[in-house]
């Protein structure tokens, strides 16, 4: 059996050096953890559940990498960066005010909805799932921690489990998540070969 921990990054700050000169996407990618976010990650990742993790993956976003580093330093592992675990690209050019007020609802309910040149839920779920399948083939029977993002994770969960139009998640008839995200939100997925056998919220 292969165990995958899908872990959301901890709390970040909007304070980005030279952020006013960056595109919204680059500014979003550069956001570091806040001091509170660091403390939360240290507390939540200081858990024997993660002691025997074999591989650590992270998105390219700094807040995910900063969170991954806290575990990597504790258990003495390197971090593998994979852009397929990046957050959903919104498609904005200057400000989040450009997005429709019901943008999140549109994306959750229509897998092919996109704003400008942003990503659809289908595209995000597909790239996330592609990375998961690669891991399942190449790190079979290992324990893997993946540090990623809430929306990207939700769009992956839509491919692997049942997700309602308001984001309630269930697997084999049992609800495991209510779409209320916390810092370092973690899901433990157990696979036999490439088949998901169980999922639980830690």
């Amino acid at each position: 059996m292969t165990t995958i921990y899908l872990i959301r990054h901890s709390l970040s700050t909007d304070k980005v050096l030279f952020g006013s000169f960056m595109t919204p996407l680059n500014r979003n990618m550069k956001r570091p953890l806040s001091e509170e976010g660091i403390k939360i990650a240290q507390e939540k990742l200081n858990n024997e559940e993660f002691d025997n993790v074999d591989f650590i993956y992270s998105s390219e976003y700094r807040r995910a990498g900063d969170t991954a580093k806290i575990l990597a330093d504790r258990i003495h592992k390197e971090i593998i960066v994979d852009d397929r675990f990046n957050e959903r690209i919104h498609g904005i050019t200057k400000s989040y005010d450009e997005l429709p007020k019901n943008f999140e609802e549109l994306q959750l309910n229509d897998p092919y909805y996109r704003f400008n040149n942003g990503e659809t839920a289908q595209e995000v779920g597909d790239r996330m799932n592609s990375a998961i399948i690669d891991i399942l083939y190449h790190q079979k029977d290992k324990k893997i921690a993946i540090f990623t993002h809430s929306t990207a994770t939700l769009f992956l969960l839509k491919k692997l489990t049942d997700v309602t139009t308001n984001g309630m998640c269930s697997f084999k008839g049992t609800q495991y998540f209510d779409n209320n995200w916390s810092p370092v939100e973690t899901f433990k997925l157990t696979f036999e070969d490439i088949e998901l056998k169980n999922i639980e919220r830690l």
Side-chain angles (χ1 to χ4, degrees), residues 72-91:
D73 287 348
R74 187 174 77 78
I75 64 173
H76 309 293
K77 297 290 183 181
E78 294 185 358
I79 300 171
I80 303 167
V81 177
D82 191 326
D83 63 5
R84 289 176 293 179
F85 294 123
N86 285 1
E87 182 58 295
R88 172 262 326 269
I89 296 174
H90 292 85

Side-chain angles (χ1 to χ4, degrees), residues 5 7 53 55-59 64 68 78-82 84-85 131 134-135 138-139 144-148:
Y5 300 97
I7 307 171
V53 162
F55 297 95
I56 298 175
Y57 285 79
S58 173
S59 87
E78 294 185 358
I79 300 171
I80 303 167
V81 177
D82 191 326
R84 289 176 293 179
F85 294 123
D134 283 350
I135 286 171
H138 293 103
Q139 276 98 41
I144 298 98
I146 299 170
F147 290 84
T148 182

Side-chain angles (χ1 to χ4, degrees), residues 8-12 32-34 36-42 63-64 67 70 182-184:
R8 184 198 183 198
H9 60 81
S10 193
L11 290 177
S12 62
L33 294 186
S34 65
E36 182 183 4
I38 292 171
K39 291 177 182 178
I40 291 171
Q42 288 171 337
R63 58 189 181 274
T67 311
I70 290 170
S182 299
V184 201

Side-chain angles (χ1 to χ4, degrees), residues 130-177:
S130 169
I132 294 292
I133 290 174
D134 283 350
I135 286 171
L136 292 173
Y137 275 119
H138 293 103
Q139 276 98 41
K140 184 178 180 181
D141 297 328
K142 301 294 184 181
K143 290 186 176 182
I144 298 98
I146 299 170
F147 290 84
T148 182
H149 307 265
S150 56
T151 303
T153 297
L154 185 63
F155 292 164
L156 170 66
L157 295 177
K158 281 183 60 112
K159 296 187 70 67
L160 300 178
T161 67
D162 297 315
V163 178
T164 66
T165 55
N166 59 356
M168 297 292 183
C169 303
S170 61
F171 182 64
K172 296 182 178 179
T174 301
Q175 182 177 311
Y176 64 88
F177 187 51

